[in-house]
Every structure is written in structure tokens, then in C-alpha cells.
Amino acid sequence: MYPFRQGSFAPKNCWYVVANRQDVGRELLGRTVVNTPLVIWRTQGGEAVVLDGRCPHRHFPLAKSQLEGDTVRCGYHGFVFDASGQCVEVPSQDHAPRACRVRRYPALEHGLWLWVWVGDEDKADPALLPPLSEIGLEGEGLTGTPLIRREAACRYQLLNDNLFDLSHLAFLHGSSIGTRENASTPEELVKRPGFVSSIRRIRDAPVPATMWQAMDGYDRIDRAMGMHSYLPGFHAGTTEIAIPASHPTRGGERLMWNRVYHCITPCTPRTTLYHFAVAVAPGVDTAALKVALDPVIDEDVFASEEIEKIIALYDGDPPPELMVKSDTNAVEGRRMIQAMMDAESQGG
Amino acid sequence: MYPFRQGSFAPKNCWYVVANRQDVGRELLGRTVVNTPLVIWRTQGGEAVVLDGRCPHRHFPLAKSQLEGDTVRCGYHGFVFDASGQCVEVPSQDHAPRACRVRRYPALEHGLWLWVWVGDEDKADPALLPPLSEIGLEGEGLTGTPLIRREAACRYQLLNDNLFDLSHLAFLHGSSIGTRENASTPEELVKRPGFVSSIRRIRDAPVPATMWQAMDGYDRIDRAMGMHSYLPGFHAGTTEIAIPASHPTRGGERLMWNRVYHCITPCTPRTTLYHFAVAVAPGVDTAALKVALDPVIDEDVFASEEIEKIIALYDGDPPPELMVKSDTNAVEGRRMIQAMMDAESQGG
Amino acid sequence: MYPFRQGSFAPKNCWYVVANRQDVGRELLGRTVVNTPLVIWRTQGGEAVVLDGRCPHRHFPLAKSQLEGDTVRCGYHGFVFDASGQCVEVPSQDHAPRACRVRRYPALEHGLWLWVWVGDEDKADPALLPPLSEIGLEGEGLTGTPLIRREAACRYQLLNDNLFDLSHLAFLHGSSIGTRENASTPEELVKRPGFVSSIRRIRDAPVPATMWQAMDGYDRIDRAMGMHSYLPGFHAGTTEIAIPASHPTRGGERLMWNRVYHCITPCTPRTTLYHFAVAVAPGVDTAALKVALDPVIDEDVFASEEIEKIIALYDGDPPPELMVKSDTNAVEGRRMIQAMMDAESQGG
């Protein structure tokens, strides 16, 4: 499906953020990842468990069921599954059949998130997770905090595309976090397998509306805005703000440094789970940041959902897009994700 | 469609409950049965009439039209149909064409309900209705009362399946009408053509939450719970409660005896009409019973609608189910309903 | 699709009302015409502009974007399009590619409306618009006023069919603008290429409920009700009311004379844009007219949406309709619209 080849929806042999770690506890969570219903909880020993969320008896959602110790009891006919997914009790008979089990999915707590792998289990390699040192959750003195979670009524790639091309900050977010320089400044691009990134180093330019308070009175700043995308759906952004080099005494001094994280997880072909988090220096008020950034994420979801509606007018097959230079990462990122899907369908 | 063969939705050569008799009167009722729109009313002479509900002129729903004496006048261009379905007036011309008619469906008032037959008229045999003496509306001194009507956003078989396996009382209704013994007690099963039934005789067990008031102070009881399913969609339940045999003086004395009726009628492939009624001994407060049982029916509809959502993730073709012993009636009941559909598609 | 041949939805080589002229100004309007998203505005010089509403870069709706002078700037990445549809700015680079453009559609202000032609541009002939003198917006001393705009959840032809057969006034609008004579009086029919009309001259008959106030005390009137349909979707109605000929002194004297306009524009296969306007003699209170006619249009939309729901039960392929004499214009009108679509698909 657009923008991928017909029949291509989303790769499965990859790690997706399925929840914030802090939200995984002693209440059952329900999520859908690439059309797979999941149930998630934390055992009494503290381990995060992700099982297939469909009771194999009658398809009832285990996420709408009951947690009992380290097991989940289906809310319909009471079948009990342990943390390995094995059914250990069928209340209407003495023994639970061995064949009664649900799949347990590889899941890892890493950074602020619980990640799940819904593809081939033997390919689930922790080394494929974004390194914490690379994404600024280790070694930079920043503290990470999950801020926002949304379910968007659009295909996931529209939210990826949004992040592959940050020139949209100048317009979609022109009244909040962007200025015209977010579009006009040239990008420095990097790509490697499964990864694309972009940095714009904006020099001696106006301060975006939402950042005034942190600017210490300066009304022109240097701003380096980066986005580092770990395919298929994790985007680590960087913001570094400094006093312009031309300043007689303080030129180059850093005023602000933070990280943002956009986790884009395909649920169904036209719905997407969106986790947004930040990592900030000591003393930064993340509650205020949430107030400032909530409407920004709303704008991204709005744009993506509007595009989904336009696509629907063309029965999901819109006319070809016109690509420009700032689409380099979108073109490259889509190509890599398509290649992941192609490899899977060829059993690769 | 699941759980039937691809292309199989619902049998038509059978009686379905289309309304409570008490609701059929001098106001037009609209119902949809197996994709067939219907209009229903009672003539001045007291006869219940079920006609095809689509005006053959422009497809306007006759159920949103006007009753005039023993005729219905289409609300759009005023075509008038008598109780036989013949058009007797076209207001824009002198004569109504003979060819202008809607089908009148066989319909019978039986028990608390009006039943309709939307299949081949010549096969509409009243002997196929559940005998009133069997379902306890005759000869037991009980009084029947319709209590609840719901439109559920799920395929009808999910509500049938719910009733074919009463072990769910122990869990889905564990805080109201069920206890663990509803699952653990063995079933006594009966089957004959077009019929399956199950009884669980629970001995000396705790009292379900909603039944305390009627238990005369006893906190352990004998409970016989039965469900007698007349395919494809009528389920007559029995509840009999007695003082445990071990009681020194009153052992075996009956404390409560009632009947419940679940009428499951397929509307469209993913919507279902659900009528629920009870038959109770003199003096039982049916208003209080409605208050107690409304949330129970809600739980059944909830479970079935949740399963419908899970099925949607698999494009309507979910993985095979795991069957256990308590599914005997579900397996048998589905097989019989599939056979009814197969016979129809072979013109049998 | 019903009532047209399978695969036929709506002609494109024709003028459709896309907006009231008075609504086209310095705020961007979004419309969808035959599955084509549009953006509409008025230039500083006063010209109405209709462009394709999908930004060719990422499909974002230009109607949710910003008007800047005589250009529109996409709300997503800031691409700027002039009134010819040419992209004149891509903010992330120095030059806008020549190939970056959206189609500008032929559009004309005519009568009370802006009309658009979404088909082959070289066929867009202004002579195909309904002549203002024919539809009473010139030469009759009447003043036109747009009154009502609706988006209906049904295919456009159901609203056309509604207007092709005014016998429905007697029933659907029997408590407002119609009496039984609207159905029983014979029609005078006219047809020519692309046009059908009907007039009913009702003599010495009761006054419809909504017209009492204007009747000067007369309780029986002569009423000529006409509908002049310019295919595929513009219907100009006439109402002329006079004192019956039998009156001793004032027989034949005109009491009321007005025009109504129904503009039916296909949006998507199952949604329709409906503009309604009137033209009235000096002194007529159009605000009161709006209050009286709002519920009448609601009844038309209600009937059409109800029919859409009935059609859905048959997977969009309902049983054949029964046609009667008053359907002459519906049959003829549908045939002409089907011929328009056939000519287009044959490249005619």
C-alpha cells in the first residue's frame, strides 16, 4: 500500500516500541502491532511479558481479561496462560491441552520503552536496537521522560515521512517550534543500513515561538536541529541552541540541549501508535514541555490524518508524488523499509 | 464467514424471533433479518403482518412510513400496500400496477414472540417452532415477560457460541450470576436434529452474587443450570435451585425455578438482534430481575463485540480455534447450522 | 453503481455548482467534486480560482493551508502555488521545479454560484450553463439568495431522483409544502438534450401548510409547480400561485411567484453536496423562508440517506425498481446522465 508496493504494509522482523516502560505494570495493557493483538504485563518478579493477545479458544482479547499472579486468565471462559504463553488451566476440565498456548513475543526493555519483535523469533537480535549512547539516553547527563501517546487514524509511513523531512517545522509548526530557517537551511545527511539522519545548522536566526523563555534574553540564536531515524519507526531528534558566534563575549555558548524521541508503530494498515518522549538537562520543567509540545504532536497527527483522507479519494492509490531535494531521506527511508518487507516475503 | 464456511452467513429456511409480541401494534416496526429489510405491524383485526420493508418503487423503507388502517403508505411517494403486500394505490395515477407488490413473509405469534420465515415460503412449517411445553411457557405455572432487547455489533454466531458454552458464567459473569462451579461441573448433553442441550447439576455450592436475596438465608445450594438450544437461534435456559440434600430437614426443597430465553437473530453479516425474556413463578419481581440481568446481557454483548474486533484484524479469517470438551455443543451446533445453509444452497 | 451501470459514478464533462459565490472570498474553501479534492479562493483582483486541492508533494490538502496574496502556501512543507496552479516556491531550495504544479479547473461565476468543470478542459463550454433568463435570475424582477447547504451521506442520484419526481411533495412533505394534489395532478413534461422538466397545474385546491401566511386569506388556490432539470445536477423549480378562476372578481390574480434552485453535486460515490437557493419578489422575507424550508430539505436528505442504507443491505445492487408514469423524468434523466458517462468513457 502507498507509499509502498501493493501488498506491502509493514516489516515484522524488527523492534517496535509497544509501550512506555513506566506504563508496563500490574494492569494488563492491550496493543496491536502489525495486525497482531498483544497483551502486556509485568510479572511479580519485574519482567515485562508480551503474549499474543487472542485467546486461542474463542479469540477473546486477553488484554480485557484478568491478571492473576504471573498468569493471565481469559475473561470469557477462564483459560489461564502463564508468562511463557502455555495454557495451564482450562476450568471446565482437569487438564489443559499441551497444544493450548499463545505465542510469547521477544520483548526488551531498552531506554524508556518496551520493544517487541512480532516477526521470526530467531531473528530477534538485541543488537538491532538503537544504542542508548547514540540516542543520548546514556553519557550526556540528560534525563528521559515519556510525554505523549497518541493513536493516529492513518498509516504509519505518513508519520515516518513527517519525520524524514523536517522542513515541515517551518510551516506546520510555524507558530510553535519552527521558523522559516528550518526549511531554507541546507541539510547534512548521513545514511547507513537501516538508518538515515539529517542535521540543519541554522546560524544567527530568530527564536521559535515556544523557545523564548529558555533563551536568556537572546533574540537571535544558532540552532542545530537533527533527526536520526532508526528504521522502520524510531526517530531520535536533537536540538542544540547556542549564542551566535558574532556575539562579542559569549559567542558559541550553549543555551539549550535536548533530545526528543518519536516512536512510530504500525497497528493496522490505517492506524498507528505514536509514543513521544524527551530527554532534558537537569532542571528543565518537563510538565511545561508537555504543555508546549502537545499541540505540536497534534499538528503532526492532523497533517498525517488529513493526507490519509485525501488518499482515500483515490481508493488508496494516489497520483505519483513530486519529489524535491529535501525528500532525500524520505526516498531513502522508504526504500530501506520496502527492502525489509521484500526480504521477509522472500523468506530472507 | 467465520465460524462457517466462506460464503455462508445464515440460514433462511427457519423461524427467527423478529419482535416481542407485545411490541407489535399500531406503530410500524422496522427490522432486518438475514439482510432482508422488514416492516411489521398489527392489523385492526389483531393480526401481525410482516412485509418486505423496501418499497419496490424507490427502495424507501416502509418502516419509516405511515400506517393507514390495515395498509401502509410509503413515506416517500405515497404508494399504499395492503396486508398481503399488494400495492393498492399509486397516488400519481388512477390504477396501481398488479406487478407492484412486496413479499409478505410467513409470521407466527408463538410464546412471547413474533417469528418470521424469510426463506422459501412453502417450507415454513409451524411444527419447526420450539414447543411451548418444552420451553416452559405452558404447563409449569410460570409467567413469561420480555425483558431486554439489544442490537449487537457482531455476527450472530458469536452470541450463539456464547450460549452453547455456559462455562463462561464462571468468568464473564463471575461477579453476577456465575460461580466457578459453572465451569467445573460436568455437563449432561443431549442432541437431536436441530437441537442441542446441556445441563450442569451443581451440588452444595456457593450462591452467585445476584441470587442471594432469593435464597432464604441459605449460603450453599444445589443449582441445576440448563440451556436448550433450538437452532439456529433460540436458546431456552433453565435454573432450578434447591436446598442441598445434606440439610437435615429441608434437603432437596426447591427455592427457585425459572426460565430464560435468548433469541439470536442475524440482521446483517456483522449485526445481530438479541431478545431476552424470562418466565418466572408467581410473585417474582421481574422489574428487579431486569435490573439484575441487564448488566449480564451487556457482558455477553461486550464479549461478542470484542471478538468481532479481534476477527477484523485477520480480515475476517482468524486462526483455527482450539476446541476443548466444553465446546461439544458449539461444535455440534455450528455443524448443524452449516448443514442448514448447505441444504439451502443446494436447493434442498 | 446503482442506478447507473456498474462502474459508472458521475459525469465529469459538465458544470457542477461547487460553492455559493458569496462564500468564495479570502478564506480557502475545500470541496470534493467527483472524487477530486479542490481548493477555492478569490484573488485580490476578485477572480474566483479553483485548483486541484492535493499538494503534489505529499498529498496534503491545500484547503487546510494558507492564502498569501494571490497564492496558496501548503500548510505542510510550505510549497507555494499561484492562481494558475504553478508552484512558485519550494522553501527548502532555491528554485521550484517547473513540473511542480496543480491543475487549475475551469470555473465560472454564474447566477448565485461558482461552477466548476473537473473533466476535459477543452470541452468546458460556458454555453452549457443554464441560461439565467431561463431559470428566472434575469428578467423576472426576482432576487436570488442562497439559503441552505448540506452534505448528504448518499449518492447524488438519489437526490436527483427526488427532484425528478415531485409527487413526493404530497407525502414526504405532506405536512409542509405539499398536498395530495402534488401527486394526483397530471404532469406536463418537456425534454430536450440534457434537460427534462415537469409542471403540474393544480386548480382550485387546498393551501399547503407552509404557505398560509402568503395567501391573503384565500383557502383554495391555483398552484403551478414546476421543476426544470439541467443535467446532471441543477434543478430550477417554479411556484406560481393564483386566485382560482372561479372567483367572481379576482379570478386568476397572482398571489405568489418564486423560484427555487437545487444544486446537486457528487462528492464521493456515497456523499453529495447540496446547495439550495431561492429567488423571490421584492419584500419577501427570505429569513422566514429559510426557517420554513430548512426542514423540507432535511426531509429530502433523510429520504435519500435512508434509501442509501437500504441499498447497502444488497451490497449496492438492489432489486430492480418498479417504474410508474410519474417516473418518466427519472427514467429519462438517468438515461441522459448514463449517456454522458458512456460518452466520456469512450473518449467521446
Side-chain angles (χ1 to χ4, degrees):
Chain A
M1 60 189 297
Y2 168 84
F4 299 114
R5 258 202 285 285
Q6 212 179 354
S8 293
F9 160 35
K12 295 179 92 168
N13 284 335
C14 55
W15 295 106
Y16 286 113
V17 167
V18 68
N20 294 316
R21 286 174 68 179
Q22 67 183 26
D23 296 337
V24 177
R26 298 293 297 160
E27 294 200 0
L28 297 174
L29 290 185
R31 294 283 191 271
T32 299
V33 175
V34 193
N35 274 340
T36 308
L38 302 172
V39 60
I40 302 168
W41 78 92
R42 192 177 292 285
T43 64
Q44 290 163 313
E47 188 185 20
V49 175
V50 181
L51 298 186
D52 198 281
R54 179 188 62 84
C55 178
H57 173 234
R58 276 291 175 278
H59 315 310
F60 187 82
L62 295 178
K64 307 276 170 99
S65 297
Q66 285 80 42
L67 185 60
E68 295 187 353
D70 285 349
T71 66
V72 59
R73 183 183 291 276
C74 177
Y76 201 178
H77 301 95
F79 286 39
V80 178
F81 300 88
D82 68 18
S84 78
Q86 179 63 50
C87 179
V88 295
E89 182 189 336
V90 172
S92 59
Q93 59 192 47
D94 289 341
H95 298 288
R98 293 285 303 164
C100 188
R101 57 185 340 279
V102 296
R103 192 170 156 194
R104 176 169 178 171
Y105 293 99
L108 289 170
E109 297 189 73
H110 179 75
L112 306 171
W113 310 278
L114 177 66
W115 306 68
V116 70
W117 182 284
V118 295
D120 301 331
E121 188 166 349
D122 59 343
K123 299 193 171 64
D125 182 356
L128 295 171
L129 289 164
L132 297 185
S133 55
E134 269 185 39
I135 64 173
L137 285 171
E138 272 181 17
E140 297 187 1
L142 302 178
T143 303
T145 311
L147 280 196
I148 296 168
R149 186 164 67 88
R150 291 273 189 285
E151 291 220 22
C154 65
R155 61 197 69 194
Y156 72 100
Q157 187 54 30
L158 298 179
L159 288 159
N160 277 340
D161 285 346
N162 173 68
L163 293 155
F164 284 145
D165 179 0
L166 290 196
S167 73
H168 82 269
L169 268 67
F171 303 98
L172 187 62
H173 310 310
S175 63
S176 55
I177 60 168
T179 69
R180 288 297 164 97
E181 290 76 9
N182 286 95
S184 60
T185 306
E187 292 175 280
E188 298 166 24
L189 300 179
V190 173
K191 79 175 173 187
R192 52 174 209 255
F195 177 89
V196 295
S197 86
S198 153
I199 297 183
R200 280 188 177 81
R201 301 187 193 279
I202 302 168
R203 307 282 184 203
D204 199 9
V207 177
T210 53
M211 296 184 184
W212 274 99
Q213 299 221 314
M215 290 305 103
D216 211 10
Y218 290 89
D219 61 358
R220 293 189 72 82
I221 53 176
D222 284 357
R223 213 168 15 121
M225 304 289 293
M227 190 60 72
H228 309 272
S229 300
Y230 299 79
L231 304 181
F234 182 81
H235 308 261
T238 51
T239 304
E240 182 169 12
I241 295 177
I243 301 170
S246 58
H247 191 277
T249 56
R250 300 181 58 192
E253 191 177 314
R254 188 194 268 184
L255 291 168
M256 191 169 114
W257 168 241
N258 65 39
R259 298 274 199 165
V260 295
Y261 308 100
H262 305 264
C263 316
I264 307 299
T265 302
C267 301
T268 71
R270 285 174 190 80
T271 59
T272 302
L273 187 59
Y274 191 159
H275 288 88
F276 175 77
V278 294
V280 296
V284 171
D285 177 357
T286 52
L289 216 50
K290 177 167 163 46
V291 170
L293 294 178
D294 244 331
V296 174
I297 300 298
D298 280 347
E299 286 165 344
D300 290 321
V301 171
F302 162 79
S304 302
E305 291 182 344
E306 285 291 323
I307 291 170
E308 188 68 50
K309 290 183 216 164
I310 294 279
I311 291 171
L313 293 177
Y314 301 89
D315 272 334
D317 190 20
E321 297 154 298
L322 186 127
M323 293 294 184
V324 294
K325 208 168 116 195
S326 65
D327 294 313
T328 307
N329 272 357
V331 170
E332 201 54 56
R334 289 173 178 187
R335 186 180 303 159
M336 290 184 193
I337 296 173
Q338 180 70 58
M340 294 174 74
M341 291 188 276
D342 293 348
E344 289 178 19
S345 64
Q346 290 152 23
Chain B
M1 60 189 297
Y2 168 86
F4 299 114
R5 258 202 286 284
Q6 212 180 356
S8 293
F9 160 33
K12 296 179 92 168
N13 284 335
C14 55
W15 295 106
Y16 286 113
V17 167
V18 68
N20 295 316
R21 287 173 68 179
Q22 69 184 25
D23 295 337
V24 177
R26 300 293 295 162
E27 294 201 358
L28 297 174
L29 291 185
R31 295 281 190 273
T32 299
V33 175
V34 193
N35 274 340
T36 310
L38 302 173
V39 59
I40 301 168
W41 77 92
R42 193 176 291 286
T43 64
Q44 291 163 312
E47 188 186 19
V49 176
V50 181
L51 298 186
D52 198 281
R54 179 188 62 86
C55 179
H57 174 234
R58 274 294 173 277
H59 315 310
F60 187 82
L62 295 177
K64 307 277 171 97
S65 298
Q66 286 79 41
L67 185 60
E68 295 187 354
D70 285 349
T71 66
V72 59
R73 181 182 293 276
C74 178
Y76 200 178
H77 300 96
F79 287 39
V80 178
F81 300 87
D82 69 17
S84 78
Q86 179 63 48
C87 178
V88 294
E89 184 189 333
V90 173
S92 60
Q93 58 192 50
D94 290 342
H95 299 289
R98 292 287 301 168
C100 188
R101 58 188 336 281
V102 294
R103 190 167 158 198
R104 176 169 178 172
Y105 293 98
L108 289 171
E109 297 189 73
H110 180 75
L112 306 171
W113 309 279
L114 178 65
W115 304 68
V116 70
W117 181 284
V118 296
D120 302 332
E121 188 166 349
D122 60 342
K123 298 194 171 64
D125 182 356
L128 296 170
L129 289 164
L132 297 186
S133 55
E134 270 185 38
I135 63 172
L137 284 172
E138 272 180 19
E140 298 186 0
L142 302 177
T143 302
T145 311
L147 279 197
I148 297 169
R149 185 163 68 86
R150 290 274 189 286
E151 291 221 20
C154 66
R155 60 197 69 193
Y156 72 100
Q157 187 55 30
L158 299 178
L159 288 159
N160 276 340
D161 285 346
N162 174 68
L163 293 155
F164 284 145
D165 179 0
L166 290 196
S167 72
H168 80 271
L169 268 69
F171 303 98
L172 187 63
H173 309 310
S175 62
S176 53
I177 60 169
T179 69
R180 288 295 164 99
E181 289 76 9
N182 285 97
S184 60
T185 306
E187 292 176 281
E188 300 167 22
L189 300 178
V190 173
K191 79 174 172 186
R192 50 175 210 253
F195 177 89
V196 294
S197 87
S198 152
I199 298 185
R200 280 187 177 82
R201 300 186 194 278
I202 302 167
R203 307 285 183 199
D204 198 9
V207 177
T210 53
M211 296 184 185
W212 274 99
Q213 298 221 312
M215 291 303 104
D216 213 9
Y218 290 90
D219 61 358
R220 293 189 72 83
I221 52 174
D222 284 358
R223 212 166 21 118
M225 303 290 294
M227 190 60 71
H228 309 272
S229 298
Y230 299 79
L231 304 182
F234 182 81
H235 307 261
T238 51
T239 304
E240 183 170 10
I241 295 177
I243 300 170
S246 58
H247 190 277
T249 55
R250 297 181 60 191
E253 193 177 314
R254 185 193 269 182
L255 290 168
M256 192 170 111
W257 167 239
N258 67 34
R259 297 275 200 165
V260 295
Y261 307 100
H262 304 266
C263 316
I264 306 298
T265 302
C267 301
T268 71
R270 284 175 190 80
T271 59
T272 300
L273 186 59
Y274 192 160
H275 287 87
F276 175 77
V278 294
V280 295
V284 171
D285 177 359
T286 53
L289 216 49
K290 178 167 164 44
V291 170
L293 294 178
D294 244 332
V296 175
I297 299 297
D298 280 348
E299 286 165 344
D300 291 320
V301 170
F302 163 79
S304 303
E305 291 181 345
E306 285 293 322
I307 292 170
E308 187 68 49
K309 289 183 217 165
I310 294 280
I311 292 171
L313 293 177
Y314 301 89
D315 273 333
D317 191 22
E321 297 154 298
L322 185 128
M323 293 295 183
V324 293
K325 206 169 119 196
S326 65
D327 294 314
T328 307
N329 272 356
V331 170
E332 200 55 56
R334 289 173 177 187
R335 186 179 303 159
M336 289 183 192
I337 296 173
Q338 181 69 60
M340 293 174 75
M341 292 189 276
D342 292 348
E344 289 177 18
S345 65
Q346 292 152 21
Chain C
M1 59 190 296
Y2 168 85
F4 298 114
R5 257 202 287 283
Q6 213 179 353
S8 293
F9 160 35
K12 296 179 93 167
N13 283 333
C14 55
W15 295 105
Y16 287 113
V17 167
V18 68
N20 296 317
R21 288 174 67 179
Q22 69 184 25
D23 296 338
V24 178
R26 298 295 294 164
E27 295 200 0
L28 297 173
L29 290 184
R31 296 280 190 274
T32 299
V33 175
V34 192
N35 274 340
T36 310
L38 302 173
V39 59
I40 302 167
W41 78 92
R42 191 176 293 285
T43 65
Q44 291 162 314
E47 191 187 16
V49 175
V50 181
L51 298 186
D52 198 282
R54 180 188 62 84
C55 178
H57 174 233
R58 274 294 174 279
H59 316 310
F60 187 82
L62 295 177
K64 308 276 170 99
S65 298
Q66 286 79 43
L67 186 60
E68 293 187 355
D70 285 348
T71 66
V72 59
R73 182 184 291 275
C74 178
Y76 200 177
H77 301 95
F79 286 39
V80 178
F81 300 87
D82 68 17
S84 79
Q86 180 62 50
C87 178
V88 295
E89 183 189 335
V90 172
S92 60
Q93 59 192 50
D94 290 341
H95 298 288
R98 293 287 301 166
C100 188
R101 58 186 338 280
V102 294
R103 194 169 156 196
R104 176 169 179 173
Y105 294 98
L108 289 170
E109 297 190 73
H110 179 77
L112 306 171
W113 309 278
L114 178 66
W115 304 68
V116 70
W117 181 284
V118 295
D120 301 332
E121 187 166 350
D122 60 342
K123 296 192 173 67
D125 182 356
L128 294 171
L129 289 164
L132 297 185
S133 56
E134 270 184 38
I135 63 171
L137 284 172
E138 272 181 18
E140 297 186 359
L142 302 178
T143 302
T145 310
L147 280 196
I148 297 167
R149 185 164 68 87
R150 291 271 189 287
E151 291 221 22
C154 64
R155 60 198 71 193
Y156 73 100
Q157 187 56 30
L158 298 178
L159 287 159
N160 276 341
D161 286 345
N162 174 66
L163 293 155
F164 284 146
D165 179 0
L166 291 196
S167 73
H168 81 270
L169 269 69
F171 304 98
L172 187 62
H173 310 310
S175 63
S176 54
I177 62 168
T179 67
R180 289 296 164 98
E181 288 78 9
N182 285 95
S184 60
T185 306
E187 292 176 281
E188 299 167 22
L189 300 179
V190 172
K191 80 174 172 187
R192 50 174 210 254
F195 177 88
V196 294
S197 87
S198 151
I199 298 184
R200 282 189 174 81
R201 300 186 194 279
I202 302 167
R203 308 285 184 197
D204 199 9
V207 177
T210 54
M211 297 184 184
W212 274 98
Q213 299 219 313
M215 290 304 102
D216 212 9
Y218 290 89
D219 61 357
R220 292 189 72 82
I221 52 174
D222 285 357
R223 214 169 15 122
M225 303 290 293
M227 191 59 72
H228 309 271
S229 299
Y230 299 80
L231 306 181
F234 181 82
H235 307 261
T238 51
T239 304
E240 183 170 10
I241 295 177
I243 301 170
S246 59
H247 190 277
T249 57
R250 299 182 60 192
E253 191 177 313
R254 187 195 268 184
L255 290 168
M256 192 170 113
W257 167 240
N258 66 38
R259 297 274 200 165
V260 295
Y261 308 99
H262 305 266
C263 315
I264 307 299
T265 301
C267 300
T268 71
R270 284 175 190 80
T271 59
T272 302
L273 187 58
Y274 191 158
H275 288 88
F276 175 77
V278 295
V280 296
V284 172
D285 178 358
T286 53
L289 216 51
K290 177 166 164 45
V291 170
L293 294 179
D294 245 332
V296 174
I297 299 298
D298 280 348
E299 286 165 344
D300 290 321
V301 171
F302 162 79
S304 302
E305 291 182 344
E306 285 291 324
I307 291 170
E308 188 69 49
K309 289 183 217 165
I310 294 278
I311 291 170
L313 292 177
Y314 301 89
D315 272 332
D317 190 20
E321 298 154 299
L322 185 129
M323 293 295 184
V324 294
K325 209 168 118 195
S326 65
D327 294 315
T328 307
N329 271 356
V331 170
E332 200 55 56
R334 289 173 177 187
R335 185 179 302 158
M336 289 184 193
I337 296 172
Q338 180 70 59
M340 293 174 75
M341 292 188 275
D342 293 347
E344 289 177 19
S345 65
Q346 291 152 22

